[in-house]
Amino acid sequence: MTKLLRWFLFTLLLCWHQLAAAGDDALIDFQGDHYVINVGALNPDSEMTLMDVLMLCPEVLTDNAKMLNGNFILCVDDIDLYMDIETFLTMVKASEVETIDVYTNPSISQGAGGSDGVINIVYKEAEKDGTTGKVALEGSTYGNGLAYADVKTRKRQVSVRGYALGNQHFARGNYLEGVSFSQRELVEDAHVSVNWDISPKDNLTIKLFQQFIDSKEYYHNTNDTYQSPIKDRLGELTFSYLRTLNDKGAELLTEAGGVFANFSNLEMSQRDASPYFFTELTTPLLIDDLSMIAGWEVSYDNSWYIGLKRQQYLKNDLYVQLNYLHGPWTITPGNRYTILNYWNRNDDEAHKLWSHNRNANSYLVSIGHKWGHHYVQGAFNRDFYIPIIDDFYEDVMGEPMLSTSYETNMVWRTELRYTYQQKNLAIFGSAVHSWKTDLPTPREETTGIRASVTWHQGPFRLTAGANFYHEHCAGDDLIPAQYDNSFTLRLSPALLPGHGWRLSSTLIYHSRQEQYGNHPHLFASLKVNKDLGRHCNIYADFHDLAGMPSMSMERSPISTITVLSHLA
């Protein structure tokens, strides 16, 4: 392991000594509560993917260069994306994207309490009328297959973007000692977004989405085989209206929509309806350097477990955030006040309706300063994890009973960020400390040091990262001290040798996984792209995972071949 660390530090030093002339276009811009990746500053090639771009973030956004870590929310043009995230991050190319907004701490403006953050993809606007698109067919080991298509069309003031995919995959592994499992899953997604510039000051966006999942899991032991079929259908409809109020940047955004889902397996059937509405004003205040974001958001969640119970949630948020940009200084304070209402009715206790309400505040203060190629930012925020009704159950003489004694889990964060940027080099680092209160354990703390570097010169591109974490739960003797420290190393080189070839690889090493007691593991992939001309590209992807814990999926190396055709 010492040799691995020395080799990694040598790679960082190599990037530092290969500096090129400074440029004016910054790869990363800080805007108070988040940072923005200006994708064009990377000079992306035609086959660079969104996941390739996200690898330069100092946070550990992915464990396998395929999927985002579980608690990140992915949005497209500020609207949540409900589809196969792995396929989306692979098929959408960096050259199609203008910027990526990364909110790594739940901000006041986003209101994503309890999440690890929000990643918002902003597409480039079509410069002229016309239709473009692409179609992809993919096959891999275990008989996995994928069909994907997207299309973009623009005519005058109206642009339409659509996706459709069908994805079938198989997996197998060990669930418990002596119990193995196999899984087959079919996913179908369709997504349509319509953007209409009604006038120079008015814009309307309509988004429609549907997803269907048909999954079957088989558990095998020496005596029997148990089958668990799962069907899941989800739909979403959203209307977003933006009104420009003046030429100084004042805007009023109003959005309404809902997500509707139906889930069933052998044991239960569940239906969910989640409508929401918000209105948000962005306007300068008094002086040009000072602006404000203020809004009101209301959402309602109705979860009906047929024949068992109905759970309902009503959430009201009022928020305000100030942004002061003066010379090299950036100052951002904000507050979000949340009112939560709960209702629960069990079908076997129809005469009893349990209800409860509580409220909480989230705070944010951020100060940043830029000089030359350097930028330093310090941030502090307090957030809370929104409790669900099941959190209020407590054991009363062996019987689960709903109680209001549950304490809202608070999380406090302090973070210091630093970047150094030149034309073809960016070094990005941060130190963060967070602690949680009102938990079953007296105190849970995490300290992290995170760093990444990206460098490109001619046909060669290199992105590398390192993360170290110290996690500790005070008063919890069940977690051995040797699991307090962990680290992650990432390396992603890419080479464009010419004649339509692209070679890329990703290595991600974890000293341990998220769950205590699991083993270190290494993810490795090798990808070869070949442009065949006539708008057609083919690539092969070989990846493997070493050190997989025994209770997770045990998969042999996976090979994928994809044919991608661009429709002009």
Side-chain angles (χ1 to χ4, degrees), residues 11 29 83 99 155 157 178 189 193 200 210 221 227 248 267 292 328 353 402 407 436 450 453 518-519 531:
T11 301
D29 287 332
M83 68 177 298
T99 60
K155 187 173 183 180
Q157 287 79 33
D189 288 342
S193 178
Q210 79 87 30
N221 57 35
Q227 178 179 336
K248 294 184 178 181
E267 299 177 351
M292 177 188 72
L353 175 65
L402 283 167
E407 295 290 339
K436 301 175 184 178
R450 310 177 294 202
V453 58
N518 284 351
H519 305 290
D531 188 353

Side-chain angles (χ1 to χ4, degrees), residues 36 81 164 186 203 223 252 270 293 370 391 397 409 415 418 420 437 461 559:
V36 180
L81 180 70
L186 173 65
N203 176 270
N223 299 319
L252 180 64
Q270 177 183 347
I293 299 173
K370 180 180 180 181
D391 293 328
M397 300 183 66
N409 296 343
E415 185 169 9
Y418 169 79
Y420 178 88
T437 59
R461 181 186 304 275
S559 302

Side-chain angles (χ1 to χ4, degrees), residues 56-78:
L56 66 87
C57 299
E59 301 79 17
V60 181
L61 300 183
T62 178
D63 293 328
N64 58 9
K66 301 290 182 182
M67 286 287 295
L68 290 177
N69 285 341
N71 214 17
F72 275 92
I73 299 172
L74 184 64
C75 301
V76 173
D77 296 329
D78 293 312

Side-chain angles (χ1 to χ4, degrees), residues 381-397:
N381 80 306
R382 188 194 83 163
D383 193 26
F384 69 98
Y385 287 83
I386 298 175
I388 62 175
I389 289 176
D390 290 345
D391 293 328
F392 294 95
Y393 276 97
E394 62 180 27
D395 192 312
V396 179
M397 300 183 66

Side-chain angles (χ1 to χ4, degrees), residues 454-474:
T454 183
W455 169 75
H456 62 91
Q457 183 70 42
F460 185 70
R461 181 186 304 275
L462 178 65
T463 299
N467 301 70
F468 172 82
Y469 291 99
H470 174 79
E471 302 174 77
H472 181 67
C473 292

Side-chain angles (χ1 to χ4, degrees), residues 500-501 528-532 536-540 561-564:
W501 290 95
V528 180
N529 293 71
K530 178 63 170 93
D531 188 353
L532 302 179
C536 187
N537 182 285
I538 186 170
Y539 67 83
I561 297 179
T562 303
V563 178
L564 182 63

Side-chain angles (χ1 to χ4, degrees), residues 406-410 435-444:
Y406 177 84
E407 295 290 339
T408 300
N409 296 343
M410 298 293 178
W435 62 100
K436 301 175 184 178
T437 59
D438 298 325
L439 294 168
T441 54
R443 189 179 180 91
E444 181 178 331

